[in-house]
Amino acid sequence: MYQLKCENLSVGYEKDCIVKNCSFEIEKGDYICIIGENGVGKSTLMKGILGLVPLQGGEILYGEGVTKRNIGYLPQQNGVQTDFPASVYEVVLSGCINKIGYSPFYKKEHKLSAKENMGRLDILDLKNQPFGTLSGGQQQRVLLARALCATDKLIFLDEPVSGLDPRVTAEFYALLSKCNRTMNISIVMISHDIQNALKFANKVLVIREADYLFTTVDKYRESAEGRKYAGGIGQ
């Protein structure tokens, strides 16, 4: 049973359709990597699924308790984040915003969720630090904790290790894998770090200029394209 199913999605900006007729589905516990060359529409597709960019065609179906409001999202890093004035705790707690309904205040369970997720990602000691003073790796942990506050089902990540050094990148991949394995949270991640990203994934969505491919990581590695870009069979 799918958590989220995309049927013939077309996404773009105004009259410019970038991704056309893309279909795939996310099952509970999946770890899906979205890969492809620059400019083929990976981020545009993800934003379309999340409702940040209007769909030009197709349909999104939800199952297994997933809705538009309980999907976690970790966007690309940008310069604005370095000047963000909130504390680590405030940033993480804001992931519960869709759960508070019409109340102007966070409830006890929301605050507990924020602390639990900071503990899971080993950032509880940073609770009171300004977000903008953190290193890139620490900021990504904070944003991942924020995404975990939004969902216990499905998280989308857009190039989360971009700009991080190899050690911090490896640590972040390990955290994602832990969330996927121990919390059974489905992961959908855009990455240019193909070989490392696919070590943890079970499925891959390849976006190309003219078409796309959705398959298992094992089958992708066996293909000519997979041997070229993903390290080949058995890696």
Side-chain angles (χ1 to χ4, degrees):
M1 178 66 180
Y2 60 81
Q3 289 182 311
L4 188 148
K5 186 175 184 179
C6 299
E7 294 187 339
N8 299 312
L9 289 192
S10 294
V11 191
Y13 301 91
E14 297 180 351
K15 296 182 179 180
D16 187 13
C17 187
I18 298 175
V19 179
K20 299 179 181 178
N21 301 317
C22 183
S23 299
F24 72 101
E25 63 182 59
I26 305 162
E27 297 178 332
K28 188 173 183 178
D30 270 347
Y31 192 135
I32 300 173
C33 280
I34 302 178
I35 62 176
E37 299 292 334
N38 289 330
V40 295
K42 301 183 297 297
S43 294
T44 300
L45 173 63
M46 182 171 285
K47 290 176 181 178
I49 295 170
L50 294 169
L52 303 175
V53 174
L55 298 181
Q56 296 186 352
E59 185 178 11
I60 299 173
L61 306 175
Y62 301 92
E64 295 286 322
V66 173
T67 70
K68 283 185 178 181
R69 295 176 63 85
N70 67 358
I71 297 175
Y73 176 47
L74 202 164
Q76 288 186 26
Q77 282 273 29
N78 59 69
V80 175
Q81 292 171 344
T82 62
D83 297 323
F84 204 61
S87 70
V88 165
Y89 175 67
E90 290 170 331
V91 172
V92 174
L93 185 60
S94 69
C96 298
I97 192 71
N98 284 336
K99 298 179 179 179
I100 64 176
Y102 294 104
S103 171
F105 305 106
Y106 292 106
K107 298 179 181 178
K108 182 178 179 179
E109 59 263 33
H110 302 143
K111 297 176 182 179
L112 179 61
S113 175
K115 292 178 181 178
E116 286 179 344
N117 286 315
M118 285 188 290
R120 285 190 178 102
L121 302 184
D122 296 323
I123 54 172
L124 194 55
D125 60 323
L126 303 177
K127 174 184 173 183
N128 297 317
Q129 289 197 30
F131 178 77
T133 65
L134 304 181
S135 68
Q138 289 172 329
Q139 286 187 353
Q140 289 301 77
R141 287 187 183 228
V142 172
L143 295 177
L144 179 56
R146 181 183 186 276
L148 289 174
C149 282
T151 187
D152 60 355
K153 301 180 185 302
L154 173 61
I155 294 178
F156 284 83
L157 305 99
D158 192 349
E159 297 189 40
V161 299
S162 178
L164 302 182
D165 67 45
R167 179 185 61 81
V168 176
T169 293
E171 291 173 352
F172 192 81
Y173 279 138
L175 288 173
L176 285 181
S177 180
K178 179 181 178 181
C179 293
N180 179 244
R181 290 181 291 102
T182 66
M183 301 174 66
N184 206 26
I185 292 179
S186 303
I187 304 290
V188 181
M189 178 177 67
I190 295 173
S191 180
H192 283 102
D193 185 17
I194 298 176
Q195 291 192 24
N196 285 321
L198 293 185
K199 288 179 182 178
F200 303 96
N202 67 320
K203 296 176 183 176
V204 58
L205 175 63
V206 186
I207 305 295
R208 309 184 183 111
E209 287 188 1
D211 62 2
Y212 69 92
L213 170 68
F214 182 57
T215 187
T216 66
V217 168
D218 289 342
K219 288 183 178 179
Y220 181 68
R221 289 190 186 281
E222 293 171 358
S223 69
E225 180 177 327
R227 289 194 295 272
K228 180 179 180 181
Y229 294 110
I233 299 172
Q235 299 297 313

